Amino acid sequence: MKIMVLNCGSSSVKFQVIETSLEAIEANTDATLARGAVEKIGLSDSRLSLEVPGRKPHQEIAEILEHRAAVERVLKVLTSQEHGILADASEIEAVGHRMVHGGEKFASSVLVTPEVEAMIEECVVLAPLHNPHNLRGLTAARSLLPNVPHVAVFDTAFHQSMPPRAFIYGLPYELYTRHAIRRYGFHGTSHRYVSIRTANLLRRPLEELRVVTCHLGNGCSMAAVDRGRSVDTTMGFTPLEGLLMGTRCGDLDPAIVSWVLAMEDVTLAQLNAMLNKHSGLYGVSGVSSDMREIEKACTTGNRRACLALDIFCYRIKKYIGAYAAAMGGVDAVTFTGGIGENSALVRSHTLSDMAFFGIELDEEANVSAPPGQEVLVSRPGTRVAVAVVPTNEERVIARDTVRVLGRVMPSFAIPGNEAPR
Ligand code: ADP
């Protein structure tokens, strides 16, 4: 069945059409038929891009003022004779939506009903920068494709299995009961996907494995995945906590916030921007938030770029140790995300001198790891396997959509069955 996956941000709608089914999930043969994005929504030069495997990429520039118009445009290009892949929008049998925050209300993906939409609305307060846009896309897609089921897949849901000792902060407990302030964690679809793929790569059941997953992109987080369940993760109440990221500071003494407010001429909003947008690799190096630029600058002798790289890797190393302790051992460390998948230097620097821990990188395999492929880069026979697994959040969303529908609308699970209209 053809699933459309939507990921709506403040000024963008990213989409994919994925052909999948319960059998294809089992065989790992689901396929992306088309992918693309509408960017710069709200401006006069909004851009729609479409990529179809085996064809030249297609682009359109036109004023697209809001999310409904963007989704409408996506459906139009997908069904256009010249560029499309569908004869009619009714070929889309279901839509999977990426939702950033599900709070404590959602521990798994769900079929969207009016009640579910209202519950997602209640989570807006927890993610005011993300959930409103996700919701806008959801509402638009439901009105444009009213006869197909819509499924919401949450970034936070996978981490709902964390025990209280991992998610309660050392703050007055009332802040949790009154305002739901706790660790939620993000990138859940990615951590879940790569831990499953790691088990597959090792040909061992996930239920036997303790995996530390490292999602290193512009945003970075790690998770302790104990026999398939997330038991801890580095991002917290918001995505600001944990690792050093492209522009986010990660772990910090909270007293620094009031100190800087008192000592520098900045407003709270400016301080927030400082922590989220002007810190991390960018803030430390003064060069860039982009790891490729950092690596280049460090190689040519920029000391602050080298320092940023060093802090970046050191934090990952510390959390590997912490999560191994939390799980009573570790069987695999998995790298994913733009940096995790592509930077042999980051993997090598992070895992240096960890033989005492059972981690020994095969430097040759590490450097020659082919982009886009799932590979082991540890020395054969080492106690802890090191894996590189490209993440695919859209595929997880499409798969979850099929699974949820198989559960709540069993006719969906049977190949060849017509989708209910
Ligand atoms: P996002 O979190 O926005 O999805 P990505 O997962 O695409 O981001 O990761 C972006 C990061 O990956 C950037 O810091 C980029 O420099 C880094 N990256 C991509 N390719 C390489 C590479 N070959 N070597 C080092 N870093 C890379």
Side-chain angles (χ1 to χ4, degrees):
M1 60 199 287
K2 293 184 178 71
I3 309 286
M4 179 154 90
V5 175
L6 287 179
N7 178 358
C8 299
S10 58
S11 63
S12 70
V13 170
K14 295 192 190 123
F15 65 92
Q16 286 198 17
V17 178
I18 297 179
E19 176 81 54
T20 186
S21 63
L22 290 178
E23 291 68 26
I25 296 171
E26 192 65 33
N28 200 31
T29 54
D30 26 19
T32 297
L33 305 181
R35 75 173 80 216
V38 179
E39 287 160 300
K40 296 167 84 174
I41 294 172
L43 299 178
S44 58
D45 60 343
S46 317
R47 191 179 61 190
L48 181 147
S49 55
L50 174 72
E51 283 175 42
V52 176
R55 291 196 207 157
K56 246 176 63 195
H58 168 67
Q59 269 208 17
E60 294 172 9
I61 309 279
E63 186 177 65
I64 300 175
L65 289 178
E66 37 75 51
H67 287 74
R68 191 177 197 282
V71 178
E72 220 168 355
R73 230 16 222 257
V74 169
L75 292 172
K76 198 162 157 212
V77 78
L78 285 173
T79 52
S80 89
Q81 273 207 332
E82 201 182 345
H83 306 290
I85 53 148
L86 306 171
D88 190 88
S90 63
E91 282 180 44
I92 296 169
E93 292 185 66
V95 185
H97 295 265
R98 182 202 177 205
M99 293 286 151
V100 169
H101 217 308
E104 290 188 322
K105 294 182 197 299
F106 299 102
S108 60
S109 305
V110 287
L111 180 71
V112 178
T113 60
E115 295 75 42
V116 164
E117 211 168 330
M119 282 161 76
I120 298 173
E121 183 93 51
E122 287 169 28
C123 297
V124 162
V125 64
L126 295 170
L129 299 182
H130 296 286
N131 271 31
H133 311 299
N134 299 163
L135 260 176
R136 216 164 285 145
L138 175 63
T139 311
R142 286 186 82 205
S143 76
L144 291 163
L145 295 167
N147 298 322
V148 301
H150 293 250
V151 169
V153 179
F154 301 89
D155 267 21
T156 49
F158 181 55
H159 302 301
Q160 279 295 300
S161 48
M162 284 187 292
R165 64 171 180 242
F167 73 71
I168 295 287
Y169 287 112
L171 292 165
Y173 196 75
E174 293 70 31
L175 287 178
Y176 170 56
T177 51
R178 269 198 278 137
H179 300 295
I181 293 178
R182 50 159 285 178
R183 178 184 309 285
Y184 289 100
F186 299 87
H187 292 143
T189 46
S190 177
H191 290 294
R192 178 154 65 101
Y193 177 75
V194 301
S195 59
I196 293 169
R197 296 306 306 161
T198 302
N200 199 277
L201 198 57
L202 295 174
R203 297 178 199 283
R204 288 181 60 187
L206 183 63
E207 296 70 30
E208 280 179 10
L209 290 179
R210 294 155 301 182
V211 187
V212 175
T213 48
C214 312
H215 178 110
L216 313 175
N218 281 311
C220 303
S221 72
M222 289 169 62
V225 184
D226 192 357
R227 300 164 181 93
R229 290 161 61 85
S230 171
V231 293
D232 207 346
T233 189
T234 54
M235 283 179 169
F237 179 59
T238 75
L240 190 56
E241 193 179 349
L243 302 177
L244 196 78
M245 310 183 209
T247 60
R248 297 189 191 119
C249 59
D251 289 338
L252 199 68
D253 178 346
I256 293 170
V257 173
S258 50
W259 182 266
V260 173
L261 272 179
M263 305 295 274
E264 295 258 329
D265 186 21
V266 289
T267 63
L268 193 55
Q270 285 169 327
L271 183 58
N272 248 325
M274 184 194 290
L275 301 175
N276 279 287
K277 297 200 159 78
H278 306 127
S279 298
L281 291 172
Y282 173 73
V284 175
S285 69
V287 171
S288 170
S289 62
D290 191 298
M291 184 54 90
R292 283 165 293 203
E293 299 297 319
I294 298 286
E295 287 186 9
K296 216 185 305 160
C298 177
T299 326
T300 54
N302 183 314
R303 289 174 61 179
R304 271 174 54 189
C306 294
L307 176 62
L309 187 61
D310 208 20
I311 299 170
F312 185 87
C313 297
Y314 177 65
R315 282 207 192 165
I316 303 168
K317 184 189 283 258
K318 275 208 301 190
Y319 273 113
I320 293 172
Y323 286 171
M327 294 190 286
V330 55
D331 302 296
V333 176
T334 300
F335 287 89
T336 191
I339 300 172
E341 291 164 33
N342 296 302
S343 176
L345 179 67
V346 165
R347 294 191 298 260
S348 159
H349 195 42
T350 299
L351 301 180
S352 61
D353 303 323
M354 290 189 86
F356 77 96
F357 208 76
I359 298 180
E360 288 177 69
L361 202 61
D362 178 335
E363 288 296 346
E364 180 63 40
N366 183 45
V367 171
S368 54
Q373 285 186 35
E374 299 176 349
V375 280
L376 290 174
V377 292
S378 40
R379 301 237 308 254
T382 47
R383 193 149 40 82
V384 182
V386 180
V388 178
V389 175
T391 195
N392 194 329
E393 292 173 85
E394 287 77 13
R395 183 182 275 189
V396 178
I397 294 172
R399 288 180 173 192
D400 267 21
T401 302
V402 171
R403 287 200 192 96
V404 167
L405 297 177
R407 221 171 37 236
V408 299
M409 296 177 157
S411 60
F412 262 91
I414 303 163
N417 257 23
E418 277 299 300
R421 299 267 178 249

